Structures are given as structure tokens and as C-alpha cells.
Amino acid sequence: MTLNLTDILQTQGVEALAMPNVLPLFKSVSFTAGSTILSAGERWYNLLAIKQGIFRLYYLDSNGKESNKGFFSAGQILAPMARSAIEQPVKFYIEALTDVNAYQCKYCALTTALQPFAQSQMFFQQLTEQLLEDKINRELMFLQLDARKRYQVFQQNYPELCQQIPLRHIASYLGMTDVTLSRIRHS
């Protein structure tokens, strides 16, 4: 699925009146599968509206073990929403899991361009609410569900990701080993 920028932004709450101010801020970018687009210790300045492909956010522990924090795919916005992510170096990585085509702009330029449009401020509120909902749902999964149920919920909520993401990344996101996930899938 490939989406255009106007559709992505309008779905996320940017009003049509703001588009002439907003669209020129974006440029098309492409990333090959396996590309790291942001590393721990770097500052996060850009917002990405994803046309096609999948990104993952992940942490590395002191032993170099990866733990997936989240996935972003076509139609979604990947942006530094927390003040700490905007003002300080990040503590995680962003990698293209597949080839990705996206639209990119400077986060601060977009906030400035949307200021005169009261309804478009919903854009940032919607992004924040979605991030919070995702975090609450993931926390509930970890606190209330066993490994099998966590995988079932992931399958129900993200059927397209189950087909496109390597199992080891899904397992990491769900807090289990890929061996455990393989057993669950085959039982």
C-alpha cells in the first residue's frame, strides 16, 4: 500500500486549509531495509509520514541485546513526541525493517506552520493520544497476558505486520524469545 502525503496528514488531523503551508515542508525520502535512520545518542529532528514500508524502534541493553519498542508502517507518522526526544539525544534506535518510502520534514518547522490553524493542532494531540494508547495497551499485555495471549493479541491487532516482520522482532516486542514464539506458533 502506497499513500500520498495529503491523505496521511488529513487522516491524522491536519485541516485542508493548512495544506498549502505544510506540504512544501516535506520531501520524499527512501531507506533500504536494514538502514539505521536514528541511533542512540543522536538528536531526533525529523518527522516521517510513511508511504510504504515498516520501521522499528528498539533499545540495546548493556550486553548489546535488542529489545523492540514499536513498529510504524504505511499511513503512520513517526515523530519525536516526548519533550525529551526533541530536546535531548535519544536512547533508542530507528531502523527500516523493509524498504521504506516516506515524506520527511523538520518537526519544529511543522509545528510553526500549523500554529495559525487551530483545528490542525489536533494533529499533535492525535499523535500523542495514539502513542499513549499504544503504551497503555502494551503495558496491559505484559501485566495481564501470558506469552500465547500476547501473540494472539498482536496477530489480531497487526495481521499485516505478522506477515512482513521477522519472527525474532515480533518475539522481542512481545517480551519472549524467538524459540518461544516458534513453539507458540506451531502448537
Side-chain angles (χ1 to χ4, degrees), residues 134-162:
D134 290 347
K135 292 202 169 291
I136 289 169
N137 291 334
R138 187 162 184 232
E139 181 179 21
L140 282 171
M141 269 191 351
F142 278 105
L143 294 173
Q144 297 180 341
L145 304 177
D146 64 17
R148 180 177 309 284
K149 293 279 190 205
R150 288 195 306 269
Y151 180 60
Q152 289 170 347
V153 168
F154 187 84
Q155 282 182 301
Q156 290 168 350
N157 293 341
Y158 309 104
E160 70 288 347
L161 293 182
C162 287

Side-chain angles (χ1 to χ4, degrees), residues 6-182:
T6 302
D7 290 342
I8 295 169
L9 294 175
Q10 284 182 330
T11 299
Q12 296 293 331
V14 176
E15 61 189 302
L17 283 173
M19 289 300 171
N21 291 23
V22 169
L23 294 177
L25 300 174
F26 285 86
K27 66 178 182 175
S28 286
V29 293
S30 296
F31 304 96
T32 58
S35 299
T36 300
I37 66 161
L38 187 69
S39 295
E42 294 179 349
R43 298 285 300 275
W44 191 2
Y45 298 107
N46 296 316
L47 174 143
L48 291 164
I50 305 168
K51 283 195 281 192
Q52 184 177 24
I54 303 169
F55 287 110
R56 76 175 174 128
L57 283 69
Y58 68 97
Y59 291 100
L60 284 180
D61 70 13
S62 59
N63 296 321
K65 182 181 178 221
E66 297 176 3
S67 294
N68 286 318
K69 169 183 165 115
F71 303 105
F72 288 80
S73 59
Q76 292 185 297
I77 303 285
L78 181 55
M81 296 307 298
R83 183 166 305 283
S84 62
I86 297 166
E87 296 176 351
Q88 301 169 16
V90 298
K91 295 177 171 56
F92 55 87
Y93 297 78
I94 301 175
E95 175 188 26
L97 277 181
T98 64
D99 289 343
V100 175
N101 294 311
Y103 305 98
Q104 178 177 284
C105 77
K106 296 288 183 201
Y107 181 87
C108 64
L110 183 61
T111 59
T112 301
L114 288 177
Q115 279 180 336
F117 303 95
Q119 187 171 343
S120 289
Q121 292 303 309
M122 291 296 295
F123 172 77
F124 297 107
Q125 183 177 340
Q126 280 185 251
L127 290 179
T128 304
E129 286 175 2
Q130 185 59 53
L131 179 66
L132 183 57
E133 285 294 327
D134 290 347
K135 292 202 169 291
I136 289 169
N137 291 334
R138 187 162 184 232
E139 181 179 21
L140 282 171
M141 269 191 351
F142 278 105
L143 294 173
Q144 297 180 341
L145 304 177
D146 64 17
R148 180 177 309 284
K149 293 279 190 205
R150 288 195 306 269
Y151 180 60
Q152 289 170 347
V153 168
F154 187 84
Q155 282 182 301
Q156 290 168 350
N157 293 341
Y158 309 104
E160 70 288 347
L161 293 182
C162 287
Q163 304 301 314
Q164 299 174 38
I165 296 175
L167 287 180
R168 64 187 170 90
H169 291 308
I170 295 171
S172 170
Y173 178 76
L174 296 174
M176 63 183 83
T177 66
D178 49 346
V179 172
T180 299
L181 181 54
S182 183

